[in-house]
Amino acid sequence: MDLLMLFAGRTAGILGVLLCLVAGISRLTGNYYVADVEATTLFMVGTGLMVFACLLRLESLANRA
């Protein structure tokens, strides 16, 4: 279970960073939409994924102790 949480945390973190990068680059180039989705929505989803990843990693660290 611990390995699954570590893997899910890493995956969610990487996806969150990628979504935030895509949204940020899109906004810097002047586009408000990425594939018919607002860039701010993508940024919020990316931030949520990174928070979820932090919680998963924290839980897996707490289980080790």
Side-chain angles (χ1 to χ4, degrees):
M1 184 67 173
D2 190 42
L3 290 176
L4 179 63
M5 285 177 37
L6 280 173
F7 178 73
R10 287 185 185 134
T11 305
I14 291 170
L15 287 176
V17 168
L18 289 177
L19 275 177
C20 285
L21 282 175
V22 167
I25 291 171
S26 171
R27 285 297 297 131
L28 287 175
T29 59
N31 296 325
Y32 290 98
Y33 292 93
V34 177
D36 294 333
V37 178
E38 277 193 52
T40 54
T41 303
L42 282 180
F43 187 77
M44 287 189 293
V45 169
T47 304
L49 278 172
M50 288 189 285
V51 169
F52 180 66
C54 289
L55 290 173
L56 283 176
R57 298 293 302 252
L58 182 64
E59 183 64 30
S60 68
L61 287 173
N63 285 338
R64 287 184 187 177

